[in-house]
Every structure is written in structure tokens, then in C-alpha cells.
Amino acid sequence: MQKLKHFINGEYVEPKGSEYFDLISPVTGEAYAQSPIGTDADVEAAYAAAATAFQEWKRSTPSMRQKALLALADAIEANGDKLVEVQSRETGQIKSLIASEEVATSADQIRFLAGAARCLEGKSTGEYLAGTTSSIRREPLGVVGQVTPWNYPLMMAVWKIAPALAAGNTVILKPSDTTPQSTLLLAELAAPLFPKGAINVLLGKADTGSKIVSLPGVAMVSITGSVRAGIQVAKTASEHLARPHLELGGKAPVVVFADANLERAAEHIAITGFFNAGQDCTAASRVLVEASVYDKFVELMVEQAKNTKFGSPDDEDALYGALNNQNQLERVSGFFDRLPSYAKVETGGKRADRPGFYFEPTIITGLKQEDEAIQTEVFGPVITIQKFENDDEALAMANGVDYGLASSVWTADHSRAQRFSRELDFGTVWINTHIPLTGEMPHGGFKMSGYGKDLSLYALEEYTRIKHVMSNHEL
């Protein structure tokens, strides 16, 4: 069985520890490789490589960074088939969707950040105090520690490394323990284009990530993950005042009014709720429907769910594949063991009768605002539907969760749409759509969804520090 290696200082290296764990295929439930658990010595080696590379990379010009990033985007596209193959084996995702939604999208996002590297701005140089001239320098932070999740391994790695490198930083990244290989291949493709040690990938479980975050020399820690993991990262980072950057999940409200195009809304909401088996922090998982059309909309959503196909990675007609791992399958199943008696599972609600970690597309009605499945991120192909009577109640229900990542409102009323875009307490508000992202616009949440932005110039700014330089006119 294949044994994976860390990627440190531009090459694959044998782990310094002896502990390994099995990587399990979500499609078959069987082991296909083994991954090492990163030790203190591995982390120190990665940090030394990143710190050395930073001394060179921080002096690179924006045009040099742009050139390297553009070459990386080209390499991702040229090696798209390889990336799809390794990732589908460890995620169970549909191959055609990895190609279109991660490989192509990641290349595009890198190209945007390559250009953005040349567009950083600051206050204009000028005489703000008599006899002096002030200017602003935007500088890289240093070595950045990063942790990525298993739902979109390649794209999440790109969201981390691209702005960090564009700003002149170097990186130590730990991918999820269940999905390391597309990240390793990404680092391999990047290695010839950047200084040795600019991108280091350490494998392991949560403890390896904690070791990276706790390094005193790490200037910033960035994680996409659970609220629990994000809180722990922020606590650990605070011990040496590393800058935290946290994207911690969501429970997106989807507010549907009677004047919306209900058939179109149901089709789109079902796709964006079940896409990637619902393993998406912005998934359309919590639907709120105006009372006068509630029954009709439930019927439309149930029909959509029953017609939603899931399958193996090679099935191009399927919308989604397996849940990522056994623990996640048990977690999703556990919500149904604890459903209150007044809740109704309209369709689905159980593990699919086939090998692997598959779960049926599911619609639940009858839940109350305080119920677990409304308040807690399920991260599975599960959509809940609730009823509201008026705009104020809809807003209260939409905002009545701890998360604040993404939301959408479906209406033909322009003034209502504008009010909801103002009042919804979420980092993204979509109007008559849900889930599309673009590299030019930021992604990030409020409340327990964390803070800090991915994508856009705002993300690039997160990875910089601002220095004021004042020059006295008199010698």
C-alpha cells in the first residue's frame, strides 16, 4: 500500500516519525493508502524551509509574483486530469464536477490574484505634517500557517496559498487528514515556480495542525473548518499574537417569497443544497418560505429531491457523490436519530443502500427555530423547510442562528430585496440565486462563521501588514 510523504523545501521527504494511518475511500469504504502523522521535527523542518524562502520571496517584485502565479494556473490546467483522479479517489466527488468547479475555477482565481499582486493600494504619499513626507508600505507578514478542509481540497488550498504568495509570504499548509493528495500535487506543480520552501505541505491529523499554529514564528494562521477548530486555532494563535484568519462554516437561510419564480427557485435551491452532498459551508440548507405558497413549494422541493441523482465519481449524470468519511456519515445520520417527533422527513433521511458513505437527498419539514437541525450545520444532503408569515418574521428566523456566512432572498420586489440585503446578518447575500462565487468578490462570514476574507483584493490585504514611513525634510 502506498505511503505518502510530506512536501518540504521543494521536494517529498520521508516523515521523521513512524506513525501512519489509513486513508479510506468514501466510495468503497476500503483503505487505499497510508498517511504519516507530522511530528514536531517535521513541523520545525517545514518552518525552517519557509522562513528561509521568505527572505528571498519577500523581496520579489509584484511582476515576479504575477509571473509565477500565472505559471501555476497554467500548470493546474495542464495537469487537471491528474488532479481530478487523485482527488476523486479521496473525496468520492463526481470527476466532471471537480474538473469544472475546482480545477478550472482554481486556475481562474489564481490568475485574478496574480494580477491583484500588482494592484495593492495605500494612502497617497504626502505632507500630512509640516516639514515631513509620509508614505505607506504594504509588506508581507512572513511565514503563514494554514489548515484546509476536506470538502473542496484543491480549491481550498488555492484560496489559502494564492493570496499568501501573491502578497510575498511563504506557507506551511496542512490539508485535511482524509484528503491530502491533490494538495500534495499542487505543491509539486508549484515547486519549480517559486523559491524552494515557499510552499510546504505537512500531513497528519488535527494535532499536526495545532503544532503549526502554535509555532512562535508563524505570523498568521488561516483555517477553513469547524467552529470548534476555529476557536481552538484562535486561542492558540493568541498565545504568540499571530494574526488569525477564520472561515468556520455556515447555516445559510434561503428566504423564498410568494412572488418569486417558484419552479426556478426550487430547482436552483435543490441543486445548491445537495451539491457536493451538501458538504459546503454556503449550501442552501435552510429554506424559509412564505406561508401562502409553503405547501406548493414543499411539493416542488420534494420532487426535486426525488429526481436528484447521486453516484460514483465516474457518473457524469450524478449531482453528488459520497460523504467524505465514516465519521461524517455517522454525524449526518445522528441528526435523524435525534429528530423531534413533530418533524417530518418528506423524502430521504437515511444512508443509501450501497457500498461507501452515501446519503439520500433529504427534505425535512415541521422543525422549530430552536431545533438542532435548524441551528447546527449538518454538512450533508439535507434541506429543511420552514414557514413564515411576513417580512419581519422571515428576517428574525433567517438571522436567528449563530452562523453568518451566506444567505439568499428570492423575490420580484426590488425594495424588499434591498431591505433584506441590508438586514441579513451574513457575509454574502444573493438575490434570486444562491452559491455562485467570483474571484473578484470576497467570501467570508460574520458571527460564529469567523472573520477574514477569502478571494478578491480583500483577501490579499489580509496577508499584508501596513507600515508608515515618515521622512523629515531637514537633515
Side-chain angles (χ1 to χ4, degrees):
M1 185 179 296
Q2 179 187 13
K3 286 190 173 183
L4 303 184
K5 301 177 182 180
H6 305 300
F7 195 88
I8 299 174
N9 204 30
E11 61 185 1
Y12 289 103
V13 299
E14 294 287 347
K16 298 187 183 298
S18 58
E19 289 189 74
Y20 286 81
F21 59 92
D22 288 341
L23 295 177
I24 306 297
S25 165
V27 177
T28 65
E30 299 175 352
Y32 63 88
Q34 288 189 318
S35 177
I37 294 179
T39 64
D40 287 337
D42 294 314
V43 172
E44 289 167 4
Y47 176 76
T52 300
F54 178 64
Q55 295 306 313
E56 176 182 350
W57 190 239
K58 73 177 182 179
R59 293 181 172 85
S60 60
T61 64
S63 63
M64 293 166 62
R65 297 171 199 168
Q66 181 190 42
K67 182 179 179 180
L69 286 164
L70 290 174
L72 176 57
D74 291 343
I76 287 172
E77 287 184 335
N79 292 272
D81 290 345
K82 292 180 183 178
L83 288 161
V84 168
E85 284 298 322
V86 298
Q87 182 158 305
S88 65
R89 180 168 58 175
E90 58 191 17
T91 64
Q93 292 170 296
I94 306 304
K95 289 180 180 179
S96 60
L97 294 176
I98 299 174
S100 62
E101 302 302 319
E102 292 198 58
V103 173
T105 300
S106 292
D108 178 72
Q109 291 165 348
I110 289 174
R111 289 188 178 113
F112 168 78
L113 285 162
R118 303 181 73 163
C119 297
L120 283 172
E121 297 179 350
K123 196 173 183 70
S124 64
T125 298
E127 289 67 49
Y128 298 94
L129 183 67
T132 67
T133 296
S134 288
S135 62
I136 293 293
R137 292 181 57 88
R138 274 198 179 272
E139 300 179 340
L141 299 171
V143 177
V144 177
Q146 301 177 321
V147 179
T148 53
W150 42 253
N151 56 336
Y152 299 107
L154 173 63
M155 188 165 67
M156 293 296 97
V158 166
W159 283 20
K160 298 301 183 193
I161 69 167
L165 293 169
N169 303 283
T170 55
V171 170
I172 308 171
L173 188 149
K174 193 200 86 66
S176 168
D177 56 318
T178 64
T179 57
Q181 293 193 82
S182 59
T183 305
L184 286 170
L185 181 52
L186 175 65
E188 180 183 335
L189 296 174
L193 309 173
F194 297 86
K196 285 180 62 176
I199 304 173
N200 304 276
V201 178
L202 285 176
L203 308 187
K205 293 184 177 288
D207 184 57
T208 302
S210 297
K211 293 178 189 299
I212 295 170
V213 171
S214 62
L215 279 170
V218 166
M220 178 179 179
V221 293
S222 178
I223 178 175
T224 297
S226 68
V227 172
R228 176 193 54 77
I231 290 173
Q232 186 56 53
V233 164
K235 286 181 178 179
T236 303
S238 70
E239 295 174 2
H240 56 99
L241 295 180
R243 185 183 299 188
H245 180 277
L246 313 173
E247 198 267 82
L248 307 179
K251 191 68 177 175
V254 182
V255 185
V256 181
F257 284 93
D259 63 354
N261 183 327
L262 299 183
E263 288 76 14
R264 177 183 174 276
E267 179 182 7
H268 190 87
I269 291 166
I271 291 172
T272 55
F274 296 138
F275 185 80
N276 202 35
Q279 298 171 130
D280 189 311
C281 299
T282 61
S285 60
R286 186 166 58 100
V287 181
L288 312 175
V289 184
E290 192 167 8
S292 63
V293 294
Y294 174 82
D295 291 339
K296 177 181 180 181
F297 199 75
V298 169
E299 290 179 5
L300 290 171
M301 288 296 296
V302 170
E303 181 182 4
Q304 289 291 331
K306 288 181 176 179
N307 291 329
T308 296
K309 183 178 179 181
F310 56 90
S312 62
D314 289 309
D315 189 345
E316 294 190 3
D317 293 329
L319 178 66
Y320 70 85
L323 295 176
N324 181 256
N325 56 74
Q326 179 69 40
N327 288 341
Q328 186 60 20
L329 176 62
E330 292 174 359
R331 184 178 184 276
V332 173
S333 300
F335 279 89
F336 294 87
D337 297 335
R338 299 185 297 274
L339 277 180
S341 59
Y342 48 79
K344 181 181 180 182
V345 178
E346 300 281 352
T347 186
K350 62 183 186 297
R351 180 178 185 173
D353 185 19
R354 59 180 291 167
F357 309 139
Y358 291 88
F359 203 89
E360 295 180 348
T362 300
I363 302 291
I364 307 174
T365 60
L367 288 168
K368 299 178 181 179
Q369 185 69 16
E370 65 272 16
D371 288 331
E372 179 191 28
I374 298 297
Q375 294 292 326
T376 304
E377 188 173 33
V378 177
F379 225 57
V382 178
I383 297 174
T384 64
I385 307 180
Q386 297 169 272
K387 182 190 304 184
F388 66 83
E389 298 290 341
N390 54 56
D391 290 25
D392 289 342
E393 184 181 22
L395 276 170
M397 293 170 69
N399 288 331
V401 295
D402 289 336
Y403 297 96
L405 183 59
S407 59
S408 65
V409 56
W410 297 72
T411 181
D413 186 328
H414 177 75
S415 62
R416 173 188 279 150
Q418 292 305 301
R419 180 195 175 196
F420 271 70
S421 69
R422 180 182 69 244
E423 299 294 339
L424 284 168
D425 197 13
F426 296 84
T428 296
V429 179
W430 288 291
I431 300 172
N432 294 324
T433 189
H434 194 95
I435 230 169
L437 298 170
T438 177
E440 291 85 351
M441 288 291 135
H443 173 80
F446 307 147
K447 301 190 293 187
M448 297 301 281
S449 290
Y451 41 81
K453 299 298 183 184
D454 293 313
L455 303 177
S456 79
L457 277 167
Y458 295 100
L460 189 55
E461 290 178 357
E462 298 269 357
Y463 287 88
T464 67
R465 65 184 188 183
I466 297 172
K467 179 185 288 182
H468 170 212
V469 179
M470 179 182 279
S471 175
N472 188 345
H473 296 173
E474 295 183 6
L475 295 176

